[in-house]
Amino acid sequence: MRGLAKTSRSAGSMELVDVETPEPAADEALIEVEYAGLCGSDAGIYAFKSSFERMELPTIIGHEYTGRIVEVGDEVSKFSVGDRVVERPIRSCGDCYQCEVGQANVCPNKEITGVDHDGAYAGYIAVPEDDLHAVPDDVEPRHAALVEPTAITTRAVIRNSRVKPGDRVFVAGPGPMGILAAQVANAQGADVVVAGVGRDTAYRLPLAEELGFETLNVEADDLEAYREELTDGVGYDVVFDTTGHPSGLTMAVDEVRKGGQIVLVGQTGETTMEFTPLVRSEIDLQCTYSAMYEDFERALRLIGSGDVDHATFLDDRFSLLEADEAFETFLEGDTCKPVFDVSVLRD
């Protein structure tokens, strides 16, 4: 089979490689991959940010995907050949304190599919059955490829935020996590505003508008005036920072109301700011990371019900056979969520 692999520690360096189809271990299922999404972390691998130095290259990347089981190991009991599945790609150790207390998403010994071992930009992938999640019939395969990022935002909004019906919500960053978080918050009954920067005005902010959200360009619009108009000068009840940029948190502090909540979804890196105003305003600063079983279940239900619109959200104009175009377009902000037909790697 073929796979798209990161082959060197420099920007770009993504190559189609020929590898053997994996043999599933006794506790694994072999998945014939149908569709796979491009995540911000995949783009980070493409650009080769420092957080991916631990990778042993070459590594086939990709962790947002769906497919059908074509073979099962002797010890597999929960799944059968023909089942449609997605993977929960944070593979935890099962033995550490975090795993024992139900926080496997922050397991210190975790391995991530497509980073620490070969991923899903390939014809087939072998996965332990404990990391697989069944896909119901009411979820289309292209949409199922996006269950994992949707699960991350269901955790951010439903489990880790205080969003309630009627709340005013500000989402900073119209990338994949931002637009999905906006949809999940909207499904909880919140009034949502999505904010981006100038380069987002070409594709991502118009996409948010197509999905029904009011949008702001933070480089051109008067945020204070909009805050006065949209929140009666109080500020937003909950702000989601999905930017992954140091400026996102400082902007969130300006936009949130006293006694409100900031939820950090994006991985900001290093930033400097004054924290005294947060203390004096009793701002709740909440972090959220990855997703677990219940988050995947909620994501599948929201997709199946249509509360999360993947048909409008996904972009299927790219091919894994010419993947550089997809990565470069993503990094430029001219797409939001590319989804690849992986069957081309079996042709």
Side-chain angles (χ1 to χ4, degrees), residues 292-321:
M292 296 180 64
Y293 184 95
E294 65 178 344
D295 309 308
F296 276 74
E297 279 292 293
R298 289 189 175 118
L300 285 161
R301 293 170 193 170
L302 287 169
I303 297 165
S305 68
D307 285 319
V308 171
D309 178 356
H310 278 175
T312 303
F313 176 58
L314 64 82
D315 184 353
D316 59 3
R317 59 194 160 118
F318 301 102
S319 171
L320 281 173
L321 301 181

Side-chain angles (χ1 to χ4, degrees), residues 231-309:
T231 73
D232 300 321
V234 173
Y236 298 92
D237 298 293
V238 180
V239 176
F240 291 91
D241 176 14
T242 72
T243 64
H245 190 275
S247 65
L249 180 56
T250 55
M251 180 172 63
V253 173
D254 290 336
E255 298 302 317
V256 73
R257 68 170 175 82
K258 292 181 182 296
Q261 183 188 40
I262 297 170
V263 181
L264 290 179
V265 183
Q267 297 181 38
T268 298
E270 184 177 350
T271 188
T272 301
M273 58 178 287
E274 174 62 56
F275 280 86
T276 297
L278 276 74
V279 176
R280 290 178 174 172
S281 296
E282 204 170 63
I283 303 301
D284 177 10
L285 185 60
Q286 171 71 48
C287 298
T288 185
Y289 179 71
S290 189
M292 296 180 64
Y293 184 95
E294 65 178 344
D295 309 308
F296 276 74
E297 279 292 293
R298 289 189 175 118
L300 285 161
R301 293 170 193 170
L302 287 169
I303 297 165
S305 68
D307 285 319
V308 171
D309 178 356

Side-chain angles (χ1 to χ4, degrees), residues 5-343:
K6 182 71 175 179
T7 57
S8 72
R9 300 177 185 279
S10 59
S13 303
M14 304 291 283
E15 298 179 20
L16 287 170
V17 297
D18 291 310
V19 294
E20 293 294 325
T21 300
E23 293 285 340
D27 66 341
E28 292 182 331
L30 183 65
I31 313 302
E32 183 179 82
V33 183
E34 295 178 326
Y35 293 94
L38 193 160
C39 174
S41 62
D42 298 319
I45 294 171
Y46 178 84
F48 211 64
K49 295 182 178 180
S50 60
S51 55
F52 298 104
E53 284 288 347
R54 73 178 189 274
M55 292 178 67
E56 295 182 6
L57 304 181
T59 296
I60 295 171
I61 72 167
H63 62 275
E64 301 176 359
Y65 72 96
T66 188
R68 288 187 182 273
I69 294 176
V70 294
E71 185 180 346
V72 294
D74 292 340
E75 296 176 7
V76 173
S77 59
K78 301 175 186 175
F79 297 94
S80 302
V81 170
D83 286 351
R84 296 176 58 211
V85 292
V86 295
E87 180 184 350
R88 299 188 299 275
I90 300 290
R91 300 188 189 179
S92 56
C93 72
D95 295 322
C96 68
Y97 180 81
Q98 281 73 25
C99 288
E100 294 287 3
V101 300
Q103 298 173 336
N105 61 311
V106 292
C107 167
N109 308 310
K110 64 181 177 292
E111 293 189 354
I112 302 174
T113 296
V115 176
D116 300 305
H117 50 257
D118 282 343
Y121 287 177
Y124 300 89
I125 183 172
V127 183
E129 71 167 335
D130 287 345
D131 297 307
L132 292 174
H133 207 106
V135 175
D137 292 337
D138 63 351
V139 176
E140 295 181 24
R142 288 190 311 157
H143 301 179
L146 304 182
V147 169
E148 191 267 352
T150 307
I152 291 173
T153 55
T154 63
R155 182 176 186 84
V157 176
I158 298 174
R159 180 181 178 88
N160 285 331
S161 89
R162 304 194 315 225
V163 169
K164 301 182 296 298
D167 275 357
R168 294 152 170 166
V169 169
F170 184 96
V171 176
M177 292 296 105
I179 290 184
L180 285 171
Q183 291 193 70
V184 177
N186 178 256
Q188 310 314 302
D191 296 321
V192 183
V193 175
V194 178
V197 295
R199 72 172 191 167
D200 296 321
T201 59
Y203 184 95
R204 292 181 172 184
L205 288 176
L207 173 61
E209 291 171 1
E210 186 177 355
L211 289 164
F213 300 109
E214 181 149 4
T215 62
L216 299 174
N217 175 355
V218 302
E219 293 177 340
D221 294 327
D222 185 338
L223 295 188
E224 183 176 357
Y226 273 97
R227 186 168 65 250
E228 182 71 28
E229 176 186 349
L230 297 174
T231 73
D232 300 321
V234 173
Y236 298 92
D237 298 293
V238 180
V239 176
F240 291 91
D241 176 14
T242 72
T243 64
H245 190 275
S247 65
L249 180 56
T250 55
M251 180 172 63
V253 173
D254 290 336
E255 298 302 317
V256 73
R257 68 170 175 82
K258 292 181 182 296
Q261 183 188 40
I262 297 170
V263 181
L264 290 179
V265 183
Q267 297 181 38
T268 298
E270 184 177 350
T271 188
T272 301
M273 58 178 287
E274 174 62 56
F275 280 86
T276 297
L278 276 74
V279 176
R280 290 178 174 172
S281 296
E282 204 170 63
I283 303 301
D284 177 10
L285 185 60
Q286 171 71 48
C287 298
T288 185
Y289 179 71
S290 189
M292 296 180 64
Y293 184 95
E294 65 178 344
D295 309 308
F296 276 74
E297 279 292 293
R298 289 189 175 118
L300 285 161
R301 293 170 193 170
L302 287 169
I303 297 165
S305 68
D307 285 319
V308 171
D309 178 356
H310 278 175
T312 303
F313 176 58
L314 64 82
D315 184 353
D316 59 3
R317 59 194 160 118
F318 301 102
S319 171
L320 281 173
L321 301 181
E322 298 175 347
D324 281 359
E325 180 187 6
F327 284 98
E328 293 291 345
T329 306
F330 183 92
L331 289 168
E332 291 166 3
D334 291 331
T335 184
C336 187
K337 180 50 70 173
V339 172
F340 303 111
D341 179 349
V342 184
S343 67

